[in-house]
Amino acid sequence: MSRKVKCLPFLLLSVLVLLAACQPGVGEAGASQPAASEEPFVFTRENMPRLDGSTSTVPLAQAMCAVLLGESPEDVSDLVQFSRTTQSYRNLMAGETDLVLAAEPAPEVLSELTEQDRWLLTPFATDALVFVVNQDNPVDSLTVEEIQKIYTGEITNWSQVGGEDLDIAAFQRNQGAGSQTMFEKLVMDGLTPMDPPEAWVSDSMLGLLEGVRSYDNSPAAIGYTVYYYANDMEMAQGLKVLKVDGVTPSAQSIRDGDYPFLNPYFVSIAKDEPEDSPARILYDWVLGPSGQRLAEHEGYVPVTEPEEG
């Protein structure tokens, strides 16, 4: 049986999001609503599912917990100690977490999840991989082929793509990072990227952006990040987000599918979670109108265009 979710007031989010978040939560994904006499489900610290996921979904998880528990995002940070994309799915399979909010895992982990056939992986938002350069780099747009050739080592100088006579420093993320998985799947598409110098590999998104921004006191570097970081967390200050094939990455171009490098964020739980379990209730809430409105409010691109009201 579906259950309603009752939310406590939270003044640090807008009234609109509060009202949206306090609409019936479970049953929003399509199940029938409970009888009016049924007591609404109330999330507490004691029954909140154990959460894990990608670094890039931490802000959404904090906002979600804040809304549902009536606390500030800072006060719920202890509930959102995410272990990054690939490890979060491993934790789910090991029974060490109840619900994951994450990008697609590395191929070998995705194969494990699929083969076991015990997990629900449902898209709740769409992400994009975007490319960034120092703001002083005159290049504004690259084609998919040019990006591929930069990362295979065929294009080595910015003058080959309309820029200055500077050797290109092509930064990458570490293996197992969600953005690296996206890069290899969406951009390289079977091509083998060159092995970069150790200094050009970062084990964090912030580290990569800082490396591109400050590399050699010149605009020689290029790197990539997810759209959420570049657009909504302002982590790309001092950097420029490039067009790809002439398309600017934006919420609209991502939702319309015009931007080329797109990948879903998944909400994942065990298939055998009971309908009235907190994990299943939260899973349904994330996919329903309230969860989709909150995702949009926090700067993500939800899979459905949230209704107003």
Side-chain angles (χ1 to χ4, degrees), residues 190-203:
L191 299 173
T192 301
M194 62 181 175
D195 290 327
E198 185 176 345
W200 296 1
V201 178
S202 175
D203 64 358

Side-chain angles (χ1 to χ4, degrees), residues 79 127 184 213 236 238 294 304:
L79 301 175
D127 204 356
E184 293 176 0
R213 181 188 296 113
L294 183 62
T304 59

Side-chain angles (χ1 to χ4, degrees), residues 46-76:
E46 289 69 32
N47 65 26
M48 178 63 68
R50 296 170 299 171
L51 305 176
D52 208 341
S54 302
T55 305
S56 55
T57 61
V58 166
L60 176 61
Q62 285 185 307
M64 181 176 72
C65 290
V67 166
L68 295 175
L69 296 177
E71 300 183 27
S72 72
E74 293 76 17
D75 289 342
V76 299

Side-chain angles (χ1 to χ4, degrees), residues 213-237:
R213 181 188 296 113
S214 61
Y215 177 77
D216 200 30
N217 292 315
S218 77
I222 184 173
Y224 44 83
T225 184
V226 294
Y227 170 78
Y228 176 78
Y229 276 144
N231 188 63
D232 293 284
M233 294 187 71
E234 298 183 350
M235 292 180 70
Q237 289 183 356

Side-chain angles (χ1 to χ4, degrees), residues 12-34:
L12 298 183
L13 291 181
S14 69
V15 173
L16 175 61
V17 174
L18 274 175
L19 292 175
C22 291
Q23 295 297 317
V26 189
E28 290 177 336
S32 59
Q33 292 296 320

Side-chain angles (χ1 to χ4, degrees), residues 86 90 93 105-115 175-176 181:
T86 295
R90 291 198 181 280
M93 290 188 286
E108 63 273 15
V109 177
L110 182 60
S111 294
E112 290 180 46
L113 288 161
T114 303
E115 289 170 5
Q175 288 298 317
T181 298

Side-chain angles (χ1 to χ4, degrees), residues 92 98 113-114 116-121 268-275 280 283:
L92 180 67
D98 302 312
L113 288 161
T114 303
Q116 291 183 20
D117 195 28
R118 295 177 49 211
W119 316 102
L120 293 172
L121 277 75
S268 302
I269 60 171
K271 284 185 176 180
D272 61 1
E273 280 286 352
E275 291 296 319
R280 175 73 70 163
Y283 167 88

